[in-house]
Amino acid sequence: MSIARHVSKAMERIAPLALAEKWDNVSSPQQQQQQQQRSSQNILLTIDLTPSVANEALSLPASMIVTYHPLIFKPLSSLTLSNPLQASLLRCAAAGISVYSPHTALDSVYSGINDWLASGLGRGSVNLIGDEHSSGRGGCGRLLRLSEKTTMTSLQERVKKHLGLPQVQVALGTDSPNPDVQSIAICAGSGGSVLLGVDADVYFTGEMSHHEVLAAVATGKNVILCGHTNTERGYLPVLAAKLREELTAHEGDEKDFIPGVIHISQKDRHPLDFV
């Protein structure tokens, strides 16, 4: 069995693709049994498969890329090298590098990205936003109720420390410059559609549209925005550890199987900087 099939099986155990949102375009290469595989056992983890990350994968060389965001969300009429993002996918395919994209499955699963976000904000109880998936493995968004109230200023510092950020964007839904807060609605990435209407003191996500922020503030909610991928990238070391454990525990007893070397991309980064 190829390293791509091993990684696909391990990722399915970590975050079943059935947990992904219906609109999502998660993908697995596990059915491509006839694809020519590279002899390398390198596995590259990234949030986005940008041209720089594709170059990194080719240089390793990697046999497998696990990219959190799917490169293709909507059907395409053609694939062309003139489009830099499409070219990245074509170059990887030509080199025999398999690509796996878990996206919202990794958000929703218990101990996934949304739970990781909640873990850095303080002690308390964590519940799903909305209904649990039929699999019993997770659901959309998280609602954290802290054991003790804190202030918005303190919460902002916790967010920055957890995500390794120098700054965040904040909108206050009250006249107080530093209100007390206790309940936090959480959604990795772009969370407006998930968080709006949730009864919580704070909405914590990567990004919301201008009108979504206005709607939240109008109903007295405080908002913390960190930049879309800044709420996701810090989870990659956690995913690397989980994937290494799964590969070793479930596949390591197969004859001639080498679990592979897991690399976290050094070229993957948020496209915007604070200046």
Side-chain angles (χ1 to χ4, degrees):
M1 185 185 297
S2 71
I3 187 67
R5 294 294 303 279
H6 281 290
V7 172
S8 296
K9 288 173 61 179
M11 285 299 302
E12 182 66 17
R13 290 190 293 268
I14 293 169
L17 294 184
L19 288 171
E21 297 295 319
K22 293 180 179 179
W23 51 262
D24 203 359
N25 192 26
V26 294
S27 61
S28 167
Q30 61 182 334
Q31 298 302 319
Q32 299 175 2
Q33 300 182 42
Q34 303 304 316
Q35 179 182 359
Q36 182 179 357
Q37 298 295 326
R38 311 192 91 188
S39 59
S40 163
Q41 297 294 312
N42 290 314
I43 303 157
L44 184 65
L45 307 186
T46 184
I47 295 298
D48 290 303
L49 181 51
T50 62
S52 294
V53 173
N55 288 337
E56 182 182 16
L58 291 165
S59 296
L60 271 175
S63 284
M64 180 87 174
I65 299 173
V66 177
T67 175
Y68 168 77
H69 284 135
L71 196 61
I72 299 173
F73 272 103
K74 297 180 180 179
L76 300 174
S77 58
S78 63
L79 280 171
T80 173
L81 291 171
S82 64
N83 180 303
L85 294 180
Q86 292 179 16
S88 297
L89 190 58
L90 289 170
R91 292 173 64 209
C92 289
I97 303 175
S98 298
V99 178
Y100 186 106
S101 301
H103 201 203
T104 53
L106 200 57
D107 295 341
S108 296
V109 71
Y110 291 128
S111 297
I113 294 180
N114 283 324
D115 281 323
W116 171 77
L117 288 172
S119 71
L121 304 184
R123 300 171 65 177
S125 60
V126 180
N127 295 292
L128 300 177
I129 293 175
D131 298 327
E132 186 175 47
H133 188 267
S134 59
S135 68
R137 295 285 304 274
C140 184
R142 296 295 185 270
L143 182 60
L144 168 64
R145 184 172 180 81
L146 296 172
S147 299
E148 297 182 359
K149 287 184 178 181
T150 188
T151 64
M152 270 295 287
T153 299
S154 176
L155 182 61
Q156 291 159 209
E157 293 305 313
R158 295 179 193 181
V159 168
K160 288 190 284 186
K161 181 179 179 181
H162 189 46
L163 300 185
L165 298 175
Q167 294 175 298
V168 294
Q169 292 182 298
V170 175
L172 298 179
T174 70
D175 293 332
S176 171
N178 189 23
D180 289 338
V181 297
Q182 189 164 20
S183 56
I184 308 156
I186 301 165
C187 181
S190 181
S193 62
V194 173
L195 301 181
L196 286 179
V198 175
D199 185 12
D201 298 326
V202 182
Y203 290 167
F204 168 37
T205 185
E207 62 178 345
M208 295 170 67
S209 73
H210 173 74
H211 293 288
E212 288 171 337
V213 173
L214 290 180
V217 170
T219 58
K221 313 303 181 188
N222 305 292
V223 176
I224 298 178
L225 304 180
C226 306
H228 189 114
T229 64
N230 288 331
T231 56
E232 303 156 345
R233 188 164 289 102
Y235 185 77
L236 290 179
V238 179
L239 177 59
K242 287 177 176 288
L243 184 55
R244 189 176 296 111
E245 180 181 358
E246 286 290 337
L247 288 172
T248 302
H250 290 269
E251 318 294 353
D253 58 349
E254 292 191 17
K255 184 179 179 180
D256 300 326
F257 174 71
I258 301 174
V261 181
I262 300 172
H263 303 263
I264 297 173
S265 174
Q266 300 301 302
K267 299 298 183 180
D268 177 52
R269 61 186 300 276
H270 190 65
L272 298 171
D273 290 319
F274 294 103
V275 296

